[in-house]
Amino acid sequence: MIRTGLLSGKLSQTTQSLHVYRSSARAFEREQWEALEKRLVAWKAGLASVLEVVTSAQKRGSGSGVSEVVQQVVQTGESVQVDAA
């Protein structure tokens, strides 16, 4: 929705909220809702994979930096995929 210009807002990590400052109306049919649900489920699974890799890296004492996580993914072959399309 954000990529198609239907919604603009500011995401706050501290309050875990999204402040919407512009939106456009659009009618969704069942097909579009199902496609949106599928993309959100895939995105959630991708984030869970990222969290798992970060947690694993922290437990191993290799730090929580992005470079360490990327290195761990490359070394172990763990896949972290977030579909932003």
Side-chain angles (χ1 to χ4, degrees):
M1 295 231 257
I2 293 172
R3 288 182 56 196
T4 58
L6 296 175
L7 177 73
S8 295
K10 184 172 182 176
L11 183 62
S12 171
Q13 291 181 334
T14 55
T15 62
Q16 295 184 349
S17 62
L18 173 65
H19 175 74
V20 177
Y21 54 81
R22 186 185 64 79
S23 65
S24 300
R26 177 176 167 186
F28 267 53
E29 299 295 326
R30 186 170 191 79
E31 261 182 49
Q32 286 85 19
W33 282 114
E34 289 171 353
L36 178 60
E37 178 187 24
K38 183 178 177 182
R39 290 171 69 180
L40 289 173
V41 167
W43 185 57
K44 183 179 178 181
L47 290 176
S49 294
V50 170
L51 180 60
E52 185 178 321
V53 170
V54 171
T55 301
S56 176
Q58 288 175 334
K59 286 180 181 176
R60 292 181 189 157
S62 62
S64 61
V66 172
S67 61
E68 289 89 355
V69 172
V70 170
Q71 185 177 18
Q72 178 186 351
V73 169
V74 170
Q75 288 175 351
T76 63
E78 295 177 50
S79 67
V80 177
Q81 179 180 0
V82 178
D83 183 12

